[in-house]
Amino acid sequence: PRDSCNSRDHLLKDQRVTLSCTMTGLVLDGKYAMDRQLGEGGMGSVYLARHLGTKRLVAVKVIIPRKTDSEEFIERFRREAEAAGGLRHPNIVDVTDFGFTKLGEEEMAYLVMEYLDGCSLADVLAEEKTVPLDWTTDIIEQTCDAIEEAHKRGIIHRDLKPQNIWLEPNRRGGFTVKVLDFGLAKIQDAAAASDEPGRNITRDLAE
């Protein structure tokens, strides 16, 4: 697994470059210098960028312009910002900013996250036929820690899969798990969630 996940530039498979020619080199919302596209999904594209004030590298997810006309996509984007932005845990990606801006005449929404080295669990599983038991146990435990923290705060991820489990090398020969993409999260009242320790999470996922 270590050899499958050792590159800062590891890109996910089946990526497209729809927005790379329009966003690369631009300054988003007066704050983020867009460097290059890292990947693309159903909601939009993710770029490597640098915050102009702090010079810190960040990952910026941008909804493709045509999607901003869809209330469903905007609501999903807001949900991801609200869910992940309210969580502080070493195994959950840190979301630092969210907003709307314009590219020419088109409005776009964006979400800013910490920029992570490494690759997804899906990338590792695509390249490795087998993985060590202790490695697997460590990844599962870290993922469960992240999900437990989200549940304590009344947030149910609802899209947990290998593509959304990021593995960042920790310089100790292992990986730090980062759970990504809370775009489908169900946000409940945290106090109510804590009052119901036996609540059936499987039932909630089906709702």
Side-chain angles (χ1 to χ4, degrees):
R2 186 177 303 127
D3 293 336
S4 302
C5 192
N6 60 3
S7 172
R8 173 180 287 270
D9 297 324
H10 193 111
L11 301 181
L12 302 181
K13 292 181 173 64
D14 299 324
Q15 292 175 345
R16 301 177 298 279
V17 290
T18 308
L19 283 177
S20 61
C21 60
T22 57
M23 297 297 295
T24 299
L26 298 182
V27 175
L28 182 70
D29 206 13
K31 296 184 286 185
Y32 302 101
M34 309 294 275
D35 183 7
R36 58 184 170 83
Q37 189 181 48
L38 297 175
E40 186 172 5
M43 291 181 64
S45 298
V46 179
Y47 291 86
L48 173 65
R50 187 179 299 275
H51 188 274
L52 295 179
T54 64
K55 308 302 181 185
R56 179 186 180 187
L57 288 176
V58 294
V60 180
K61 180 186 286 188
V62 181
I63 285 188
I64 51 182
R66 67 178 180 273
K67 296 297 185 183
T68 58
D69 295 331
S70 168
E71 292 185 5
E72 178 183 352
F73 272 86
I74 292 298
E75 178 56 31
R76 177 175 171 179
F77 215 52
R78 287 185 186 277
R79 189 184 303 123
E80 180 172 6
E82 180 181 351
L87 293 170
R88 290 291 180 269
H89 189 275
N91 297 122
I92 297 175
V93 65
D94 188 19
V95 172
T96 60
D97 197 5
F98 169 74
F100 293 89
T101 189
K102 282 194 172 183
L103 178 65
E105 296 300 318
E106 295 184 292
E107 187 176 60
M108 28 182 27
Y110 66 90
L111 182 74
V112 182
M113 303 164 283
E114 63 178 316
Y115 177 54
L116 302 171
D117 290 334
C119 64
S120 74
L121 178 58
D123 294 317
V124 173
L125 296 179
E127 296 182 14
E128 303 286 343
K129 293 183 179 180
T130 60
V131 292
L133 179 59
D134 57 345
W135 185 89
T136 303
T137 302
D138 181 44
I139 299 305
I140 291 175
E141 287 180 347
Q142 291 187 62
T143 302
C144 289
D145 284 345
I147 297 305
E148 180 182 22
E149 177 65 19
H151 288 178
K152 286 179 179 178
R153 296 179 177 272
I155 298 171
I156 301 172
H157 191 286
R158 300 209 300 183
D159 194 26
L160 191 62
K161 56 189 178 184
Q163 290 87 341
N164 290 333
I165 298 175
W166 194 263
L167 307 178
E168 184 176 38
N170 60 17
R171 300 181 183 180
R172 297 189 300 274
F175 296 95
T176 297
V177 166
K178 295 283 187 175
V179 175
L180 312 176
D181 197 354
F182 282 77
L184 292 178
K186 181 175 181 180
I187 305 173
Q188 302 174 328
D189 180 79
S194 64
D195 288 342
E196 300 182 63
R199 189 177 181 88
N200 190 319
I201 297 301
T202 303
R203 181 190 65 204
D204 289 341
L205 288 170
E207 291 178 356

